[in-house]
Amino acid sequence: MTTSRTPAVGPDDEPSARTSPVTMRDVAQAAGVSVATVSHVVNDKPGARIGDAARDRVKQAIEELGYRPNALAQTLVKGNSKFIGLVADAIATTPFAGRIIQGAQDEAWKNGYVLLVANTDGNEGAEEEAISMMLEHKVRGILYSTWYHREASVPVALAETDAVLVDCFSDSAALPAVVPDERQGGRTATELLLTAGHKRVAFINTTTPSPAQAGRLAGYRDALAHAGAPFDESLVIDASPDQEGGYSAAAEVFAQGATAVFCHNDRVAMGFYDAARERNLRIPDDIAVVGFDDQEVISAHLRPPLTTVALPHYELGVAGVRTLLGLDSPTQVPRQLIACPPVPRRSVGAPADA
């Protein structure tokens, strides 16, 4: 039985149809050195005694043959890799929170790292497996993220590497966290209405206990106090955080004589728009509306387009990577607060009697 080997490509030859990858042994034969010498050059091993001529021959052979080092093998030699892990419960499939991944990916790439993303759908077994595989690949660290801002139960395995919580926090785990500044966001939303001249501003809040529920209410009260406006408990209406909740809460908003309303999120605002339209009320002429989240599929396409406050998902991803790599030293411990910026559109105007 005869065997054949695809010949190496010569300077005047067409590229060969080689099907097997180039190995260190191929490079060693081409350079006239040992496989160990090639390994030392590829892995830039400190203290390796290799002459300049031999090192140059190895590098030339690598270039000519198109040798690609095994990334996992290099990781095992050097003890780390150019990967950053991101483990998420559902953010890759939510309509706007996938921006966390985009921000983390852009910042990782900018600093010479590649982001490995595992979307676990909240499955504990899948989460453990994903973290285990990332640890085996010796990632630089892991970002652990949830699709909405909340306290999270942190997997024990995160203690085996550097880790940062993104859009979540843990009071029991000693891990840095980057989260949206809900209180500042609530203050900003209310100020948009107060600055336009409204004195009776309602707030439709959620019935679901969360950092958003407490933080946005605190921000609403801060803005009123700063403007010298009294806090009226009757103007805070609790509702489910969806379109139906906004529609149902509208009757109480109108009954209280509010000229403006801050809605817990854009879906609530969408329901409020429906109720206003049924009453032949015009936004913002008859009542001004501000939302929260900047869920663009809603806010930018309502009529008129909705003024809102954005959740800084992209910035959370960026801040998570920068904190993990030590590029930023958080001034707020244990939670770094990321500002929620206003997104002005056309749903805010001066009150009719101004």
Side-chain angles (χ1 to χ4, degrees), residues 28-81:
Q29 289 178 349
V33 299
S34 68
V35 172
T37 297
V38 175
S39 176
H40 292 334
V41 172
V42 168
N43 293 304
D44 197 20
K45 185 173 181 180
R49 300 177 66 180
I50 304 171
D52 291 342
R55 189 180 296 274
D56 288 344
R57 291 201 306 276
V58 170
K59 290 181 177 179
Q60 182 177 352
I62 287 172
E63 184 176 348
E64 289 177 353
L65 296 176
Y67 172 68
R68 295 174 65 88
N70 184 300
L72 181 57
Q74 285 191 308
T75 292
L76 295 175
V77 169
K78 297 181 178 180
N80 55 44
S81 74

Side-chain angles (χ1 to χ4, degrees), residues 69-349:
N70 184 300
L72 181 57
Q74 285 191 308
T75 292
L76 295 175
V77 169
K78 297 181 178 180
N80 55 44
S81 74
K82 301 302 285 184
F83 296 125
I84 291 173
L86 189 151
V87 176
D89 60 357
I91 62 175
T93 55
T94 54
F96 55 91
R99 293 282 290 164
I100 290 177
I101 294 176
Q102 187 66 55
Q105 181 173 277
D106 288 351
E107 189 64 24
W109 186 255
K110 186 189 300 183
N111 289 282
Y113 288 86
V114 173
L115 193 70
L116 301 179
V117 179
N119 192 61
T120 66
D121 289 325
N123 182 294
E124 191 172 322
E127 185 175 87
E128 290 176 0
E129 184 68 19
I131 294 173
S132 176
M133 291 179 66
M134 289 177 180
L135 292 175
E136 287 175 10
H137 282 75
K138 298 187 180 297
V139 291
R140 171 62 182 79
I142 295 176
L143 305 180
Y144 183 83
S145 186
T146 56
W147 78 271
Y148 69 94
H149 181 194
R150 62 179 174 87
E151 183 169 10
S153 178
V154 176
V156 175
L158 286 184
E160 298 181 38
T161 187
D162 291 338
V164 175
L165 307 181
V166 178
D167 206 23
C168 59
F169 62 93
S170 173
D171 288 334
S172 59
L175 290 175
V178 290
V179 296
D181 192 341
E182 305 280 7
R183 186 167 187 162
Q184 167 270 316
R187 185 172 63 249
T188 296
T190 309
E191 286 173 345
L192 288 168
L193 297 166
L194 293 171
T195 301
H198 295 277
K199 294 181 171 55
R200 197 155 176 79
V201 178
F203 175 36
I204 303 177
N205 202 5
T206 179
T207 54
T208 307
S210 64
Q213 181 199 47
R216 294 174 197 181
L217 175 59
Y220 168 78
R221 298 189 67 152
D222 288 346
L224 292 175
H226 187 262
F231 172 71
D232 183 345
E233 206 166 304
S234 67
L235 286 173
V236 178
I237 299 104
D238 292 336
S240 60
D242 51 29
Q243 186 173 2
E244 187 60 36
Y247 179 85
S248 300
E252 185 63 21
V253 171
F254 298 133
Q256 292 299 329
T259 63
V261 59
F262 161 32
C263 297
H264 176 78
N265 64 31
D266 295 345
R267 289 176 297 152
V268 169
M270 180 165 56
F272 188 89
Y273 267 55
D274 293 339
R277 190 177 303 111
E278 281 188 359
R279 290 165 171 80
N280 294 317
L281 295 176
R282 297 168 300 167
I283 298 171
D285 298 339
D286 297 314
I287 188 159
V289 184
V290 169
F292 206 109
D293 287 354
D294 193 29
Q295 193 168 340
E296 194 170 350
V297 68
I298 296 173
S299 56
H301 298 286
L302 288 173
R303 291 293 177 266
L306 177 67
T307 292
T308 188
V309 171
L311 280 171
H313 290 107
Y314 184 90
E315 291 77 10
L316 288 170
V318 170
V321 169
R322 292 187 65 81
T323 300
L324 183 71
L325 296 178
L327 300 174
D328 288 340
S329 299
T331 56
Q332 301 143 320
V333 178
R335 300 178 210 172
Q336 181 181 354
L337 302 178
I338 307 300
C340 300
V343 184
R345 292 195 179 95
R346 299 208 309 272
S347 63
V348 174

